[in-house]
Amino acid sequence: MQITESIIIECLNELQLAALAKQKYADYYDGQHAILKNYAMQESRSNQKLIFNFPRKFVDNEVGYLLGKPVNYVSKSDQDEAIHNIDVHMSHWNKEHNLQLRKQSEIFGESFELNYIDSDGQFSATVLSPLNAYVLEDGTAERNVLLGLHKFMRRFDKQVYLDVYTDHEILHYTISSDNKNNQMKQNQAPELKYIGKHNHIFGRVPLISCPANTERKSGFQDVISLFDAYNALNSDLVNEIADHRNAYLVIENAKLEAEDLLNMKKMGIIQVPAGGKVSWLTKEINDSFVKNELDNIERKIFDMMDQVNFNENWASNTSSLALRNKLLNLENRVAMREALMEKAIKQRLRNFFAFLHIKEGVQYDYRDIAVKFTRNLPTDLVGMADVIVKLKEVVSQETLLTLLPFVENPKLEFNKFHAEQQRLVGTDKKVTNAE
């Protein structure tokens, strides 16, 4: 497919529309919920707006559960050098990058990873979102990427820039000032000014899509109405209680002057004639009904998000197996996201191996690398050690090492173990000879 300026403009228009639609999810994650704009204000009454930021809580919990422990890489054909190169070139940025990629994906329903060669000539990657990036796919079952867009601004520069990525080139444009900050007028095409291009080495568009799910929907999109209801109900309850400050003092069968009321307030004593009565006029609140409704909405929120409410009372001796059973729904949800995350990482490895082939003349197959995820859960190390001992005659030691949460690089740990064993054998031989 030949990339023309008209196609770029069409893609840019879609980027703008997607950014306008998906900004809502970034706002919710940042705590800018709908209640801040549409809460029913009451004149001369308390109007506090309470925000319970469930989106941030759920996104961070899910990302930490999946990627709180580093991703491990294992070569299916035992190519130690491939794993060593991955560790050397990526270990200093890989973990934080994966967390950000997954987080942006969960917020917007899709995120993008841009692979590039940095100023030091090293392979690197950055995370983009649908607010500033877009990929055009060919529509086939393989969903091959035909081009990618990255719209950005430089600091202290009001000009908007656009980088267009193709299989072999990066085209650089500026966008007319009328279309900055997604403020594009309807039926008005953006004006692009070509400012140059340069080649890249990957042989394919280096902009990788990482969807949160097959529908590419925000992870909390279906629960926003429950978030809004929970915020509104809590705000109404707090304001109802706060308005008790406006309770009225009722004085029956007596007439008091303002000066008398001030003296009574100062002295703490109220004097009324015979037959007089003084009481407070307050509002009755059905707190049981309100609490039940709040608890009901909260349960539905946690159920819809497949999350576990850890604020509930749990037994102090809850085992890791029992914990995993409680997390079964979350585990199923994360398992689907893990498969999509693994696909994105494999595409990164594909580009990385293309970089190594050009820079160092070595060639590896990204399909040979198995990506291993370790859940960020308390681990029963005693039970895990028992499992490893029982499986040592069945499964390779390197694979068993991936089960241990404190081992970040199983291949490196495997090699260190054998080197240590050889040193111990050599030491024993020296001692025997000396005797």
Side-chain angles (χ1 to χ4, degrees):
M1 179 178 178
Q2 186 176 359
I3 306 302
T4 63
E5 189 169 300
S6 61
I7 292 177
I8 294 173
I9 291 175
E10 288 290 336
C11 293
L12 182 58
N13 288 336
E14 291 194 8
L15 188 160
Q16 301 273 34
L17 293 175
L20 289 173
K22 291 181 179 290
Q23 180 62 47
K24 172 182 180 180
Y25 307 121
D27 291 341
Y28 266 80
Y29 180 82
D30 292 332
Q32 302 297 314
H33 294 196
I35 192 173
L36 295 176
K37 298 179 180 178
N38 60 17
Y39 184 65
M41 307 289 282
Q42 298 291 328
E43 187 177 353
S44 301
R45 296 294 183 94
S46 176
N47 288 294
Q48 298 184 62
K49 303 173 185 177
L50 274 63
I51 294 175
F52 295 81
N53 202 347
F54 284 111
R56 180 182 292 273
K57 175 184 176 66
F58 290 148
V59 168
D60 291 353
N61 281 348
E62 186 174 306
V63 172
Y65 180 63
L66 176 61
L67 294 167
K69 296 195 181 332
V71 174
N72 290 321
Y73 302 95
V74 178
S75 173
K76 300 174 186 177
S77 61
D78 228 16
Q79 293 195 42
D80 295 353
E81 284 299 320
I83 304 301
H84 175 72
N85 276 311
I86 293 173
D87 187 58
V88 169
H89 289 85
M90 296 187 186
S91 62
H92 58 290
W93 56 263
N94 189 46
K95 181 177 179 179
E96 189 273 340
H97 173 83
N98 287 337
L99 289 169
Q100 289 297 320
L101 184 66
R102 180 70 244 163
K103 185 175 82 170
Q104 296 298 317
S105 176
E106 195 64 23
I107 293 172
F108 295 106
E110 183 179 24
S111 60
F112 303 98
E113 175 180 314
L114 176 61
N115 298 148
Y116 64 97
I117 309 303
D118 64 18
S119 56
D120 295 326
Q122 299 298 316
F123 179 85
S124 192
T126 191
V127 178
L128 305 177
S129 77
L131 301 183
N132 59 7
Y134 173 88
V135 295
L136 174 64
E137 298 175 340
D138 61 3
T140 65
E142 296 181 1
R143 305 189 76 154
N144 298 309
V145 177
L146 300 176
L147 68 84
L149 303 183
H150 175 209
K151 190 181 76 167
F152 61 97
M153 295 180 67
R154 295 188 175 99
R155 196 171 185 185
F156 307 121
D157 185 352
K158 296 182 179 180
Q159 180 63 60
V160 181
Y161 297 89
L162 180 71
D163 283 348
V164 179
Y165 293 86
T166 67
D167 288 342
H168 301 284
E169 295 178 324
I170 306 175
L171 309 175
H172 306 288
Y173 294 89
T174 58
I175 305 175
S176 61
S177 58
D178 289 340
N179 301 320
K180 289 188 294 188
N181 301 323
N182 297 328
Q183 300 293 322
M184 190 167 54
K185 296 179 181 179
Q186 294 182 350
N187 302 322
Q188 178 180 341
E191 297 178 9
L192 299 179
K193 180 181 179 182
Y194 176 75
I195 56 176
K197 68 177 181 178
H198 68 271
N199 297 329
H200 64 77
I201 66 170
F202 298 111
R204 61 188 60 82
V205 177
L207 196 60
I208 302 168
S209 172
C210 180
N213 43 64
T214 54
E215 298 82 15
R216 306 192 182 200
K217 292 170 54 177
S218 170
F220 52 83
Q221 179 175 337
D222 296 334
V223 199
I224 285 180
S225 60
L226 289 177
F227 297 155
D228 292 340
Y230 195 81
N231 289 337
L233 191 55
N234 274 283
S235 299
D236 288 344
L237 179 60
V238 167
N239 291 327
E240 188 75 16
I241 295 173
D243 284 340
H244 272 69
R245 295 175 302 175
N246 297 325
Y248 293 95
L249 184 66
V250 179
I251 302 176
E252 300 180 31
N253 300 323
K255 183 177 180 182
L256 301 177
E257 301 296 335
E259 183 178 350
D260 297 329
L261 294 174
L262 291 176
N263 290 331
M264 290 177 183
K265 185 174 181 181
K266 180 179 179 181
M267 298 171 61
I269 299 174
I270 300 178
Q271 293 180 338
V272 294
K277 182 181 178 181
V278 178
S279 63
W280 285 105
L281 178 63
T282 60
K283 293 175 286 186
E284 295 293 333
I285 298 177
N286 190 340
D287 56 341
S288 297
F289 172 78
V290 174
K291 182 179 184 304
N292 289 338
E293 186 60 24
L294 285 173
D295 290 343
N296 184 43
I297 294 176
E298 186 175 12
R299 281 194 299 270
K300 283 182 169 59
I301 289 174
F302 277 91
D303 288 343
M304 291 290 290
M305 292 297 296
D306 296 321
Q307 298 270 349
V308 175
N309 188 353
F310 287 98
N311 293 325
E312 295 178 350
N313 293 326
W314 286 41
S316 59
N317 60 345
T318 303
S319 67
S320 60
L321 180 59
L323 182 59
R324 284 184 179 273
N325 288 334
K326 287 230 178 231
L327 293 170
L328 181 60
N329 288 339
L330 178 60
E331 180 65 33
N332 292 335
R333 176 187 177 99
V334 168
M336 292 185 287
R337 283 151 167 75
E338 178 186 301
L340 297 169
M341 186 74 185
E342 180 179 357
K343 185 177 180 181
I345 292 177
K346 285 290 188 74
Q347 294 301 312
R348 180 196 308 162
L349 293 177
R350 185 179 185 180
N351 290 336
F352 172 63
F353 288 160
F355 161 78
L356 283 182
H357 180 60
I358 294 174
K359 183 177 181 180
E360 301 181 7
V362 294
Q363 192 164 1
Y364 304 113
D365 188 349
Y366 73 97
R367 294 167 295 186
D368 176 63
I369 307 300
V371 182
K372 300 290 185 181
F373 296 87
T374 304
R375 299 291 186 265
N376 191 15
L377 275 175
T379 305
D380 181 6
L381 292 178
V382 175
M384 188 63 67
D386 184 55
V387 170
I388 290 174
V389 170
K390 291 179 179 178
L391 293 177
K392 66 179 182 179
E393 302 296 333
V394 180
V395 182
S396 70
Q397 187 173 354
E398 183 181 347
T399 300
L400 292 175
L401 286 172
T402 63
L403 301 176
L404 297 175
F406 55 82
V407 176
E408 295 189 3
N409 189 325
K411 174 59 69 176
L412 178 61
E413 186 66 28
F414 179 78
N415 293 336
K416 287 168 65 177
F417 173 79
H418 278 281
E420 185 177 276
Q421 293 299 309
Q422 290 175 1
R423 286 198 302 271
L424 291 175
V425 171
T427 302
D428 291 342
K429 287 182 179 179
K430 290 180 181 179
V431 172
T432 302
N433 294 334
E435 292 177 350

